[in-house]
Amino acid sequence: MEKSNDSSEYGFILVGFSDRPRLELVLFMVNFTLYSVAVLGNSTIILVCILDPRLHTPMYFFLANLSFLDLCFSTSCIPQMLVNLWGPDKTISYASCAVQLFSFLCVGSVECILLAVMAYDRFAAVCRPLHYLVIVHPQLCLRLVAVAWGSGLVNAIVMSPLVMTLSRCGRRRVNHFLCEMPALIKMACVDARAVEMLAFTFAILIVLLPLALILVSYGHIAAAVLKIQSAAGRRKAFNTCSSHLTVVSLFYGSIIYMYMQPGNSASQDQGKFLTLFYNLVTPMLNPLIYTLRNKEVKGALKRVLGRQP
C-alpha cells in the first residue's frame, strides 16, 4: 500500500458539522461549558477521595479511578473537537488521529470494565457486609483496576493499527468531528468486514460481558434488598447502588446503541450526537450524580473546604 494513497502523509479532514456553521457555534459554546464542568467535577472527586481519609475505602478508590477515566475520555477528543468547531481548519494529522483513536479505544474499554468492577464492589457491600473489607481488600482492588487497564490496552493495541492501516484510496474526509473507529472503517475502499467482525468480537468481550456481570451483580443485590425487613435498611441499600446504576445506564445505553449495531443502521448525525453524549455529557454528569446522591462525598467535600469538622 503506497503511503500517498492513504491519509498517512496529509492527515484527515474532520467534517463534523461544517455544513452548518451556526450549529457549530452553538455546539462550541455548549461543549466548552460541559467540558469545563466535567474537568472541574471529576478533578474535585479525585482530590476529595485522596485528601479525605474517611473516603479511603474500595468504593471511593474505584470512584476516583472512574473520575480519572472520565477526564482522560473527554480530554482525548474534546479539545480537538473544540478546535474543529471554532475555526475553518478541520484538518488533523495522521499521527494525532492515531493517538486519538488509541486513547479513545483504550479509555472507553477500561471504563466499561471498571463499571463492572464497581458493580461487584456494591454486590460485596450489600450481600456480604460483614466480610466486605476481607473480600474487597486493597490488593484485589489494585488487581481489578490493573485487569481493566490491561484489557483496554489490548483492545487499543489490536484495533488501532488495523483501523488506521485500512486502505482508503486517498479519501481524507472523516464524516465526524473526531477519529472514531466506525467513521474510519466506513472510509475504507477495501473489504473491511474482517476488521468489523473483530471490532464486534471485542465489543462483546468488553461491552456485553461486563454488562452481563453488572446485571448478575444487581440481580443478587435486588434479591438481598427484598429480604431486608426495615424500610430504612432497604432505602440505605438502594441509595448505596442508585448512583452507580444511573451511571451504568447512561454510559452503556449510548455505547451499546453506537457499537453493537450493524455498520449503517444509525444515521450519521445521530452517531455524532451519541458520541457527544458518552464523551462529554456522561463524564460531566457522573460527578454530579455521585455528589448529589451521596452524603459521604458531600460531607467530605465540606471537610476539605473547611466548612465541617
Side-chain angles (χ1 to χ4, degrees):
M1 177 175 59
E2 294 183 12
K3 190 176 182 180
S4 60
N5 281 342
D6 252 331
S7 308
S8 52
E9 185 175 357
Y10 303 106
F12 296 95
I13 300 170
L14 299 173
V15 176
F17 294 103
S18 55
D19 57 333
R20 282 172 273 182
R22 291 184 181 178
L23 178 59
E24 280 193 320
L25 181 60
V26 172
L27 284 175
F28 175 85
M29 293 187 291
V30 171
N31 290 350
F32 181 79
T33 303
L34 293 181
Y35 179 62
S36 301
V37 173
V39 170
L40 178 63
N42 285 293
S43 300
T44 301
I45 292 287
I46 294 169
L47 287 174
V48 167
C49 289
I50 292 173
L51 295 175
D52 194 310
R54 300 186 198 183
L55 299 187
H56 292 177
T57 63
M59 175 181 173
Y60 295 106
F61 172 74
F62 294 132
L63 177 58
N65 274 273
L66 178 65
S67 292
F68 176 70
L69 284 170
D70 282 337
L71 274 177
C72 294
F73 205 28
S74 294
T75 305
S76 68
C77 58
I78 298 303
Q80 172 64 46
M81 186 192 302
L82 292 173
V83 171
N84 179 287
L85 292 170
W86 177 251
D89 185 11
K90 310 296 183 183
T91 59
I92 182 172
S93 69
Y94 183 88
S96 297
C97 186
V99 169
Q100 189 179 80
L101 177 65
F102 184 93
S103 304
F104 193 76
L105 289 174
C106 177
V107 177
S109 302
V110 176
E111 184 154 345
C112 286
I113 297 170
L114 183 66
L115 288 173
V117 169
M118 294 175 75
Y120 173 74
D121 172 70
R122 294 300 82 209
F123 161 77
V126 174
C127 299
R128 303 287 187 274
L130 298 179
H131 302 95
Y132 172 62
L133 293 178
V134 176
I135 297 171
V136 191
H137 52 83
Q139 291 80 9
L140 179 63
C141 294
L142 290 172
R143 287 175 197 154
L144 290 172
V145 170
V147 167
W149 275 101
S151 303
L153 283 169
V154 168
N155 182 34
I157 289 170
V158 172
M159 291 307 305
S160 295
L162 289 175
V163 172
M164 293 303 297
T165 55
L166 283 171
S167 180
R168 297 181 176 86
C169 303
R171 297 172 185 169
R172 297 178 57 211
R173 294 173 64 85
V174 182
N175 193 17
H176 217 301
F177 37 67
L178 56 88
C179 292
E180 195 182 37
M181 185 168 63
L184 291 171
I185 291 176
K186 285 178 184 177
M187 292 173 62
C189 61
V190 294
D191 188 355
R193 280 178 294 182
V195 177
E196 288 179 332
M197 285 305 299
L198 185 59
F200 188 77
T201 302
F202 269 112
I204 291 173
L205 295 174
I206 290 174
V207 179
L208 290 188
L209 183 57
L211 180 59
L213 295 174
I214 291 170
L215 294 176
V216 169
S217 296
Y218 275 103
H220 285 287
I221 289 170
V225 170
L226 290 175
K227 293 179 182 177
I228 299 175
Q229 295 183 352
S230 69
R234 286 195 297 271
R235 193 180 307 113
K236 182 179 179 181
F238 175 76
N239 289 336
T240 301
C241 304
S242 59
S243 297
H244 181 250
L245 264 177
T246 305
V247 170
V248 166
S249 301
L250 289 171
F251 184 78
Y252 269 99
S254 54
I255 288 285
I256 288 173
Y257 190 83
M258 187 73 183
Y259 282 94
M260 300 303 296
Q261 296 191 86
N264 296 316
S265 60
S267 73
Q268 292 170 341
D269 282 356
Q270 193 177 44
K272 294 173 189 177
F273 283 112
L274 274 173
T275 303
L276 268 180
F277 187 83
Y278 66 75
N279 270 276
L280 192 55
V281 177
T282 303
M284 183 273 296
L285 288 176
N286 286 356
L288 297 177
I289 292 168
Y290 278 104
T291 303
L292 295 175
R293 306 190 68 163
N294 192 309
K295 292 180 180 179
E296 290 180 329
V297 175
K298 286 191 283 189
L301 188 56
K302 290 178 182 177
R303 287 191 294 273
V304 169
L305 295 174
R307 295 182 180 179
Q308 181 176 309

